Amino acid sequence: MVEIVGRDGQIGVLEALLDRACDGHGAALVLRGEAGIGKSVLMEHAVRAGRKRGMRVLSVTGVQAEVQIPYAGLDHLLRPLRPGASDTGSPYRLALEVLELLGENDAPVLMAIEDAHWLDVSSWETLTFLCRRIEVDRIALIMAVRDGEDIDRRLAAAGLPELRLEPLGAADSRALLDRTAPGLPLALGARVLDEAAGNPLGIVELGAAAGREGGSALLPSALPLSTRVEQTFAGLVAELPPLTRDLLLIAALDDGGDLDEILAAAALATGADVSPDAIQPAVAARLVTVDERYEVRFRHPLLRSALRQQAGAGDRRRIHSALAEVLSHQPERRLWHRASAESGRNEALARELTEAAVGASERQAIAVALAAVSRAVQLSEDPAERGRRQVWACDLAASQGDAVTVRRLMAEIDESALRPADQARLTWIREASLGDSWSGSERLLAYADLIDTIRRDGQPDLAVKAITELALRVYYSSAPAVVRDRFVGVLFALGLDDDDPRLTVNLLQIAPVEHGATGLERLRRLVHRMDLPAGRRMELGVAAFAIGAFDLARDFALSSAADLRRQGQIGSLTKALSTAASAAAALGDTRGALPLAAECIALAAETGQPTWMLGGSLVAALAEARRGDVDAARRRADDAERVLVAARRFPMLALVQRVRGVAALADGRADDAFRQLMRVYDPADSAHFPNYELLMLGDLAEAAVRGGLLDELSPVVSRLVPLAAQSRSPALTVGLAYGRAVLTGDYAAALADDLADWPFDRARLQLTYGASLRRAHRITECRPLLRAAAATFDALGATPWADRARAELRATGETRRKPMDALATLTPQEQQIARLAAEGLSNREIGERLFLSPRTVSTHLYRIYPKVDVSSRAELARKVTSSDVV
């Protein structure tokens, strides 16, 4: 084995990673650095070291020509384990399938990925998602990437540990040169070292070239090192037979590495039979290898790029045309080569690419769709169709959060050629993706006008899509009546049927008071419609929360989450989890809310959804405040306030104020709680948010009665009575019942209402009523109320409220012991796993629900059992059941 110069520290890191993986502590690592810095050499060392440890090695090299083909890289990587292609669905579901596939054999696994920056997006997302889920698997995953802005963005989103390779020092550089090009004159060697600047590949290749050709090999010195090394490789290729050079160029332009495929394309390009022996001179020159599966691999990526850059346009098109013919049995790959071979405008081919882009978009392969529609733009003959495709490209880039690409694409559009609907759509995308403001009546009115323009131009589906995307923004913008009415008018003009769920989704978010009553009736009819797509049920959950139908919101969101998990739609799943957690927290169920919020935050972070990360954190804060962890709740509230104020999303400060108000209630500071919560109800306050007035009156009324501030509560209650009559908001109805009870003292009437779906609010009534009876010395009457309240609060995990109920009972002379909460010692994820295990799900089924490997689930259960003092699933189920609400 050749000794690697100057990389002892990095080798130690890699070998430690392999040792940990063999011991069942899987991990991933990214090798980063400029071209030629030594990533491939270290990767080869890791592969050899892995094999010495008995690891099964799976390897692949990213190829630039494959970046548009979903799962091309992953399929190459997994080819030794399975022959078929990957499903083109969700990378997140596929990541779990890969974990299961790797776990079928107990041998440790090393996944070695060279040039990961050239992996297609689907493979990248699958592998990086997998990287974050192998902590207890016998898997090591090493990716080598070249520096660049694109990979910076990818790695920032992936959040994987990195090992950066820096240039070699002077002593190591000299040692490497002496080993690879001995006998160079001192002055010439110094020039090589100066030009290479510590880059190992530069030292090796420029040193070898200098040994052959003298100082002329280092000219012109103004060129970048990578270009000069490419020229060195190109010089080596020039010495090969013409047919071998053709084969190498075909291999460089191919989006696969199959030798037979390359030979067949060469035969078509040259018009003669080509023997497999024709590749042998390149193998002998150590420019490529041909493995046991007859896959051609380049010695270094710079050789591939050198071949592509030096080939003339005519030669590249001729080879792409030959590859397209060879790949007639693979329509998707064939289309890309046909598109690359086309020399001019071709509207028919542009339409084919556009259709391919539609298919890719539907399966969430957005990067593939963007690449296809961008090439379709280049091939377009009709200016209006070209403009429509350019606008769609902007929309696709915006959906990825790539503002730089959006700006570049917009600058290329000839807006004078756009049809009216496309002009309207472009304006909407520009404002939505590049705007720096969240609210504003004029902007929202402009959006409504744009959507109406799209409708009148004959694109109703696009108009519905646009208004649905905007509805939640309207909800959280405290939009005045003129804006709400305009959006409602546009929505009705779309002519949706009364039973169309999209009508309900939009009406309840845009105008929850004005259309709450009819919307609520529709929600109750739709909640049992399991034929609705999971994404639509998620949207209905959001709408149900907007009107304060928390029980319906939770049902819609949880039912959709089950299907969204199975489908691997992580973006929509994050929203469903946020909605379910929000509903649980609003109902006072901290045990249900915290695990859902934790998963929401984790998935939002993994998929780059900062808005839903923030929302999940505020939900977690509300649940933490309810259970008495007020310091954690306040920290989250403070962090959220900084973000919201900076973005001028002032209505959302109502969520912050609710957390602070509930935390103050939990802390026993009722006066402070009332002041915090009243900010939401004060039109002069920056945190004023009319829509949230419907949702949190119960907390305000509790603060008022505990703080002796009923006179200030009374006008708020009076003002909200007509809103309740109009909207029929369940949350407002329940809140008003409690508010009236504390103002009039008639608690019996409020308790007579059906509050089966509102256990926290029922227990709050029981506690407040029981406390008033205790103060009136009506001991016999108050005790059953206080016992019931304490039991419910304990079951919900609302510890401060349960403690208050027990304190009131003690004042009557009755002692009620505080129950032991075994699950309180578990993390939110452990609580989730414990509950699923208690429901009878297997480790595999739990893993599918939570995007974890069965081995990871097993490890968590191994840690959970001693924490809750059980030794079996049956005992765990009894523990969990004893903590749940009956």
Side-chain angles (χ1 to χ4, degrees), residues 525-602:
R525 291 197 302 268
L526 291 167
V527 73
H528 301 299
R529 284 271 309 277
M530 299 308 292
D531 61 313
L532 296 175
R536 190 72 66 227
R537 278 180 274 137
M538 178 274 293
E539 293 169 351
L540 286 165
V542 174
F545 185 88
I547 191 60
F550 300 139
D551 54 336
L552 295 178
R554 184 173 54 186
D555 289 346
F556 276 121
L558 289 178
S559 73
S560 69
D563 288 339
L564 293 170
R565 287 183 196 279
R566 187 163 51 252
Q567 297 163 10
Q569 296 189 43
I570 299 295
S572 296
L573 174 60
T574 302
K575 299 172 186 176
L577 291 169
S578 176
T579 302
S582 298
L587 290 168
D589 180 9
T590 70
R591 300 184 193 280
L594 281 169
L596 292 168
E599 188 181 5
C600 166
I601 295 166

Side-chain angles (χ1 to χ4, degrees), residues 835-876:
R835 289 180 183 279
L836 294 173
E839 291 173 14
L841 274 67
S842 68
N843 289 357
R844 181 182 297 275
E845 291 168 331
I846 295 171
E848 289 174 352
R849 291 274 190 100
L850 303 182
F851 296 100
L852 300 170
S853 72
R855 186 190 298 270
T856 301
V857 174
S858 177
T859 299
H860 278 300
L861 285 171
Y862 179 78
R863 294 169 181 164
I864 288 168
Y865 284 177
K867 285 186 178 182
V868 298
D869 194 26
V870 301
S871 58
S872 68
R873 285 182 181 241
E875 291 180 25
L876 179 64

Side-chain angles (χ1 to χ4, degrees), residues 649-714:
R649 299 182 180 184
F650 296 122
M652 292 185 70
L653 290 174
L655 285 69
V656 173
Q657 290 309 120
R658 185 174 195 185
V659 170
R660 288 175 173 157
V662 172
L665 278 173
D667 229 6
R669 296 180 294 103
D671 183 77
D672 180 38
F674 187 82
R675 301 302 171 203
Q676 298 283 2
L677 296 170
M678 267 300 291
R679 291 186 58 187
V680 180
Y681 292 82
D682 181 0
D685 196 289
S686 61
H688 176 58
F689 187 16
N691 288 334
Y692 252 56
E693 291 182 339
L694 278 60
L695 309 184
M696 48 186 283
L697 182 59
D699 290 324
L700 183 71
E702 180 185 352
V705 69
R706 287 172 57 185
L709 299 165
L710 295 179
D711 288 345
E712 294 186 51
L713 175 69
S714 181

Side-chain angles (χ1 to χ4, degrees), residues 24-42:
H25 301 285
L29 184 67
V30 177
L31 292 175
R32 287 198 69 174
E34 64 185 24
I37 201 65
K39 301 182 296 294
S40 298
V41 173
L42 283 175

